[in-house]
Amino acid sequence: MQSQARRVVFTGGSGKAGRHVIPELQKRGYEILNLDLVDFPDASANVFTLKTDLTDSGQVFNALTTHFNFAGYEGPHVPGPPDAVVHFGAYARNMLVPDNLTYAANTASTYNVIEAACKLGVRKIIIASSETVYEVCFGQGDLDYTSFPLDEETDVNPMDTYAISKLCGERVARGFARRFDADIYALRIGNVVEPHEYERDFPKYIAEPKVRKRNAWSYIDARDLGQICDLAIQRDGLGFQVFNATNDTITATFPTRQFLEQWCPNTPIAREMDEWEAPLSNRKVRDVLGFKEEHNWRKYYNPDQ
Ligand SMILES: NC(=O)c1ccc[n+]([C@@H]2O[C@H](COP(=O)([O-])OP(=O)(O)OC[C@H]3O[C@@H](n4cnc5c(N)ncnc54)[C@H](O)[C@@H]3O)[C@@H](O)[C@H]2O)c1
């Protein structure tokens, strides 16, 4: 089912991912209100930010029924809730603040956004979950993944606080999708790569594969993440869903099976994988939402030169 959603409240849009995702959504015709603690980094962009602390439920309810910008005062009506909410605001890793605050802030923010959106009648909510729920990223020691590919069916039991906070968010999403019969899609976002980072970081990633084990040799281009958010907003009727949000291919110069057999000899490969398929597989988002990546890493860094 295709949605008519046009007015989208985006949380955490001033961060690393949001600063690229919001312009991608604007290009596709959405009207965006950014809820963040800090201004949108590109002052010349047409992005209105309402300073909102997402850990405060009252602020979240209020912000979801406010004007998107000052032009809103010209219209005939006071604003109602948006058509969709995309929730990215968070402490985006451990070690920014003490663990108890990472947990408290991330779970409260996600709960507040989902609750307010559902109770205001918003039918589509996208939340940022994380690759870290697959246990290895912030796990203690040199852990192995349970099996490849890492897909949405994999049973996950992360040990670190940030990943646990993200998994709690998925659980809240699942419960509220059921209670309100809403569509809430959790994106297990891979390591986000901004356009300027390919040239800077990929030579090392390719030369020293070990450094990317914690990201499962996978990534998401921040602009392609924008496409995924658009597709998720457009696609109605799926209830609660989890989607890995990654690009198509492994960040290595050997085909996936050969590479994994060398670097993870003790980890089973549970199904046939495409020749270059990312170990943190995006097959579901391609098959279900129709994602077609535009920014494969090889467009920006040629390992053969
Ligand atoms: N960057 C990655 O590689 C990555 C990978 C997987 C998942 N994610 C998730 O994607 C989302 C975006 O990540 P990012 O890299 O852009 O993070 P970021 O830290 O760059 O941006 C997060 C934004 O959220 C805002 N924020 C934090 N607490 C807030 C609060 N209480 N109220 C309002 N705003 C608040 C911050 O000001 C910031 O602008 C996060 O939920 C993160 O957990 C990121």
Side-chain angles (χ1 to χ4, degrees):
M1 224 184 331
Q2 285 300 106
S3 152
Q4 300 302 312
R6 281 289 152 238
R7 295 175 75 244
V8 174
V9 168
F10 195 106
T11 80
S14 304
K16 176 183 171 104
R19 70 188 60 175
H20 300 281
V21 171
I22 287 179
E24 289 296 322
L25 293 176
Q26 288 178 318
K27 264 197 264 174
R28 290 165 169 83
Y30 296 99
E31 206 185 328
I32 304 284
L33 171 64
N34 179 32
L35 308 184
D36 204 302
L37 296 171
V38 298
D39 277 328
F40 195 76
D42 178 0
S44 67
N46 183 25
V47 178
F48 192 94
T49 301
L50 187 71
K51 299 277 173 58
T52 308
D53 183 350
L54 302 167
T55 64
D56 178 336
S57 175
Q59 291 189 41
V60 176
F61 264 96
N62 203 298
L64 288 187
T65 52
T66 197
H67 288 306
F68 273 34
N69 51 48
F70 288 106
Y73 289 104
E74 305 298 334
H77 305 295
V78 294
D83 299 317
V85 174
V86 182
H87 170 52
F88 274 34
Y91 288 118
R93 58 172 170 80
N94 295 308
M95 305 285 288
L96 291 166
V97 293
D99 282 351
N100 65 313
L101 185 51
T102 304
Y103 179 80
N106 286 359
T107 54
S109 296
T110 303
Y111 180 87
N112 291 342
V113 169
I114 290 174
E115 180 187 53
C118 284
K119 289 186 174 173
L120 289 167
V122 176
R123 310 290 302 150
K124 172 63 61 62
I125 304 163
I126 317 296
I127 63 167
S129 184
S130 166
E131 60 175 341
T132 59
V133 302
Y134 292 109
E135 305 176 15
V136 171
C137 191
F138 294 128
Q140 194 68 44
D142 183 12
L143 299 178
D144 279 328
Y145 292 98
T146 45
S147 66
F148 291 115
L150 300 169
D151 66 21
E152 297 82 351
E153 302 303 311
T154 308
D155 183 37
V156 289
N157 183 25
M159 64 173 86
D160 73 281
T161 297
Y162 167 75
I164 290 170
S165 79
K166 288 292 174 180
L167 205 50
C168 288
E170 290 187 13
R171 198 67 199 202
V172 172
R174 187 175 163 194
F176 272 75
R178 181 177 179 203
R179 177 164 148 204
F180 286 88
D181 198 20
D183 292 335
I184 312 185
Y185 306 159
L187 305 179
R188 288 186 181 163
I189 297 171
N191 181 234
V192 174
V193 176
E194 295 182 84
H196 69 275
E197 292 179 319
Y198 289 101
E199 213 178 306
R200 190 190 70 189
D201 297 337
F202 272 62
K204 185 177 167 77
Y205 295 170
I206 299 306
E208 297 173 45
K210 184 94 177 104
V211 302
R212 294 297 282 177
K213 182 176 183 185
R214 288 179 185 273
N215 306 101
W217 301 282
S218 306
Y219 71 103
I220 180 70
D221 180 280
R223 297 157 294 184
D224 279 337
L225 182 56
Q227 183 198 146
I228 290 175
C229 289
D230 170 40
L231 292 167
I233 294 168
Q234 289 304 312
R235 185 62 192 276
D236 286 346
L238 301 180
F240 170 69
Q241 292 288 328
V242 173
F243 292 103
N244 288 343
T246 51
N247 280 74
D248 294 0
T249 63
I250 189 167
T251 56
T253 49
F254 297 99
T256 303
R257 179 171 284 272
Q258 188 186 343
F259 180 90
L260 293 177
E261 282 171 355
Q262 180 184 342
W263 287 93
C264 305
N266 301 320
T267 307
I269 299 177
R271 68 152 162 81
E272 205 48 52
M273 295 180 70
D274 301 337
E275 188 180 10
W276 295 95
E277 186 170 348
L280 179 45
S281 174
N282 69 357
R283 190 176 280 191
K284 181 177 176 186
V285 80
R286 285 186 283 127
D287 288 352
V288 177
L289 297 186
F291 171 57
K292 290 188 177 56
E293 69 168 11
E294 289 178 17
H295 302 284
N296 190 272
W297 65 272
R298 285 174 187 269
K299 274 172 84 168
Y300 306 104
Y301 172 62
N302 180 352
D304 302 321
Q305 273 180 358

